[in-house]
Amino acid sequence: MSLLSNPIFLLLLVIVLGELIGKVRIWNLSLGPSAIIFVALAFGHYGYTLPEAVQTLGLAMFIYAIGLQSGPGFVSSFRRHGLVMALAVLVMTSVGIAVTYACCRLFGFDAAIGAGLLSGAMTSTPSLAAAVELLGPDKAPAAYGVTYGIGVIGVALCVKALPKLLRTDIAAEEQRLADELAAINPPIAFQHIEVSNPNIYGRRVVDLHLKSIAPVTITRLLRRGADEPVLVGADTVLNEGDHLRVVGRLADLEKIQLYIGRPIEGEIAFDRVLTKKDIVVSKPEFAGTTLGFFNFREVFNVQVARITRNGVDLPADANTRLHLGDVLHAVGDERSLRNIARIVGNDLKATYDINLLPILLGLILGILLGQITLPLPVLGSFTLGTTGGALVAGLLLGARYQTGRLIWEIPATGNRLIRDLGLALFMAAVGTTAGTTFIPTLQTYGLPLVLSGILVTLLPVVVGMAVGLWLLRIRFLRMLGVMVGAMTSVSGLSAAGTLSATPYASSAYATVYPVALISKILAVKVLFLVL
């Protein structure tokens, strides 16, 4: 079988077979991409392994893509939910330490086997590196090889089984989270208001300082007795009885009504002269440019009512910085709208173009960050490693969005491709490596190590889910992300992605991953002290 000695052929074969097996459904359950590691374990057992570089590259790609996607909302997410999520992670890590310690005392495992057991069953490669540094390369990697497969499979199966066991309606959970986000970031609406406040009669819009009251935009004005509305600019003078179309969030519209006048029914529509058009920002040179830079109202006599970004409506503020793919909802003359469309691109296909340079630079930055060693009092040095470095790089660059001409954000389809490819590479490589020691270690340490691996994997999940769902009141989809993040389980996150296409689980994963990474490295050091 000389072809199997070719790492490229072996890699492709493992991934293809895993993808095919992962699509098989039994009792309405399927392994999905996690099946790749089962195939890889089988090949590894017979001596066919992949280079470690494949594992490192795959892990970096997957985690970097997660960080990049979660970066824009990471800070706000941590402010809103991060503390309770971090508490759930610490609970799971503490349970993992306690169960590992109990198994070591019960079965007579030494500190090295205990550290490998904890690292493998909780799928933490960085903590294994810490264990090898503290206790040597003999026993810990072997225990890790046996229990890692248990951890990977166990977490993935838990993710698949939990919705059925808890009778959770995923669609309903998605709707609840969507409603929660809508309450935090309300959608943009409009209201027709009649000017009835004598204090603003005869005054220009710019002199009213409406932005100091609420971030709204007046887009149309219908004079009393007129048949056709006009666009509203800074110099537009408001008169008694004017009908205005005001765009903003509902709470802001209520505030502005108290200042301008009473709400009215009916439509202020453009029949002949003006029209409305949705324009997509697709030219990279305008990414990061403020809306006010274009001065659409004064130059083109066009009013931008609102901006839609990633399905979320934003106020059309002059200081709002545009992103690729933003949709400008504009009103104006048809010819002017066509000119604006030509300026900003209005090419939806162009927004799906992927530039490899920012991706590669981001991965390089992640690897460099992973090499930095930080001294910690009492517990010694700490290194993020490739995984932690890639995540930090992704979060930072995703939040920054753009540096000069480089746009770090990747279109959703491209991000998903990088994530799926990185995951496949990682599971194929780590599976073949673990497969070489799986049977020998199993024969040496036997059933106690397997049983311990199952306990160290399942009990933190059970306790963590119970505490998170019922005590800390974390929503189910977010709790899935917290759980797989606490277990640092790539395959678990992949399994969560098959339950829901929403980003709630992956965002929670990225939020808690740094806490999980550090806590489990420290957990190995704690075990070293107590065993």
Side-chain angles (χ1 to χ4, degrees):
M1 298 289 287
S2 58
L3 268 179
L4 294 180
S5 300
N6 183 327
I8 296 177
F9 179 82
L10 177 61
L11 175 64
L12 295 175
L13 181 61
V14 169
I15 293 175
V16 169
L17 290 177
E19 288 287 341
L20 292 174
I21 294 173
K23 295 182 183 300
V24 176
R25 303 186 69 85
I26 300 176
W27 296 309
N28 204 33
L29 290 175
S30 64
L31 291 173
S34 302
I36 294 173
I37 201 165
F38 288 91
V39 177
L41 284 169
F43 278 95
H45 171 66
Y46 290 103
Y48 300 106
T49 60
L50 291 166
E52 184 180 353
V54 174
Q55 173 183 332
T56 302
L57 176 61
L59 192 57
M61 289 171 61
F62 180 82
I63 296 299
Y64 177 69
I66 291 293
L68 206 59
Q69 181 188 41
S70 304
F74 173 74
V75 175
S76 60
S77 176
F78 196 87
R79 285 173 181 168
R80 291 195 300 268
H81 313 289
L83 294 178
V84 291
M85 288 181 177
L87 181 57
V89 169
L90 294 177
V91 168
M92 293 180 66
T93 302
S94 299
V95 173
I97 295 174
V99 176
T100 302
Y101 178 80
C103 289
C104 289
R105 290 301 186 195
L106 179 63
F107 298 117
F109 300 148
D110 59 18
I113 293 295
L117 165 63
L118 178 68
S119 302
M122 299 193 78
T123 62
S124 176
T125 304
S127 62
L128 174 65
V132 171
E133 182 181 5
L134 282 173
L135 303 164
D138 297 328
K139 295 182 179 180
Y144 174 88
V146 171
T147 56
Y148 182 85
I150 296 171
V152 169
I153 297 166
V155 173
L157 291 178
C158 283
V159 170
K160 291 285 190 180
L162 279 170
K164 294 184 179 298
L165 293 175
L166 299 177
R167 298 181 180 178
T168 301
D169 186 338
I170 297 297
E173 285 293 315
E174 291 175 343
Q175 186 58 51
R176 290 190 189 99
L177 284 168
D179 293 341
E180 180 182 304
L181 291 179
I184 296 170
N185 188 31
I188 301 294
F190 68 86
Q191 178 68 61
H192 294 139
I193 302 175
E194 181 179 297
V195 178
S196 58
N197 179 4
N199 295 318
I200 65 174
Y201 294 167
R203 297 180 62 183
R204 298 185 306 164
V205 171
V206 68
D207 297 327
L208 300 180
H209 304 292
L210 296 180
K211 297 294 184 184
S212 64
I213 301 173
V216 299
T217 303
I218 303 177
T219 60
R220 309 177 192 180
L221 181 151
L222 181 64
R223 298 288 186 188
R224 178 184 291 179
D227 296 324
E228 185 69 26
V230 296
L231 290 178
V232 177
D235 294 324
T236 301
V237 175
L238 301 184
N239 298 321
E240 181 182 3
D242 286 346
H243 289 183
L244 306 177
R245 184 185 183 102
V246 186
V247 178
R249 305 193 191 281
L250 292 176
D252 296 325
L253 292 175
E254 292 178 1
K255 292 180 183 177
I256 217 69
Q257 287 173 25
L258 300 175
Y259 185 62
I260 295 178
R262 65 183 183 86
I264 57 174
E265 299 296 330
E267 178 60 79
I268 303 177
F270 298 110
D271 296 326
R272 298 183 299 275
V273 181
L274 301 178
T275 185
K276 54 185 177 180
K277 185 179 181 68
D278 296 340
I279 302 172
V280 179
V281 179
S282 62
K283 289 188 177 179
E285 57 264 32
F286 293 125
T289 304
T290 63
L291 185 62
F293 167 82
F294 294 97
N295 200 11
F296 288 139
R297 177 64 183 87
E298 303 303 322
V299 177
F300 295 96
N301 195 31
V302 167
Q303 183 72 275
V304 178
R306 70 185 192 277
I307 300 170
T308 300
R309 177 179 300 159
N310 297 326
V312 176
D313 287 336
L314 304 173
D317 189 89
N319 296 318
T320 300
R321 294 192 176 276
L322 300 179
H323 289 191
L324 281 181
D326 281 357
V327 179
L328 309 180
H329 300 275
V331 177
D333 175 78
E334 178 64 33
R335 184 182 302 174
S336 298
L337 292 173
R338 286 200 300 267
N339 288 335
I340 291 175
R342 281 194 290 269
I343 290 172
V344 301
N346 200 33
D347 183 359
L348 186 60
K349 292 182 180 178
T351 63
Y352 289 95
D353 290 341
I354 299 175
N355 184 358
L356 284 178
L357 181 59
I359 299 172
L360 298 177
L361 288 176
L363 289 171
I364 289 174
L365 176 62
I367 292 174
L368 292 176
L369 289 175
Q371 303 303 308
I372 298 175
T373 300
L374 303 174
L376 295 179
V378 180
L379 296 170
S381 60
F382 168 74
T383 304
L384 284 175
T386 301
T387 304
L391 179 65
V392 171
L395 291 172
L396 292 176
L397 297 179
R400 184 170 179 78
Y401 180 74
Q402 182 182 23
T403 303
R405 303 279 292 183
L406 288 178
I407 298 174
W408 303 107
E409 185 181 65
I410 304 173
T413 51
N415 186 286
R416 187 170 185 83
L417 174 63
I418 294 172
R419 285 170 53 188
D420 291 348
L421 179 59
L423 177 66
L425 294 176
F426 167 74
M427 290 196 295
V430 78
T432 57
T433 301
T436 59
T437 59
F438 186 80
I439 298 300
T441 306
L442 190 61
Q443 292 172 340
T444 303
Y445 295 99
L447 187 61
L449 186 56
V450 174
L451 179 61
S452 300
I454 294 172
L455 292 174
V456 176
T457 295
L458 294 185
L459 288 181
V461 169
V462 172
V463 175
M465 289 296 292
V467 170
L469 291 175
W470 294 304
L471 183 61
L472 300 178
R473 300 294 181 182
I474 301 173
R475 292 289 187 190
F476 179 79
L477 289 177
R478 283 202 185 101
M479 192 58 216
L480 280 184
V482 172
M483 184 262 285
V484 297
M487 301 295 288
T488 57
S489 174
V490 177
S491 60
L493 181 58
S494 173
T498 63
L499 295 178
S500 172
T502 59
Y504 303 122
S506 59
S507 294
Y509 179 96
T511 301
V512 304
Y513 185 89
V515 178
L517 182 74
I518 296 171
S519 66
K520 282 194 281 189
I521 290 176
L522 298 181
V524 167
K525 295 179 181 288
V526 169
L527 277 177
F528 172 71
L529 294 175
V530 299
L531 288 176

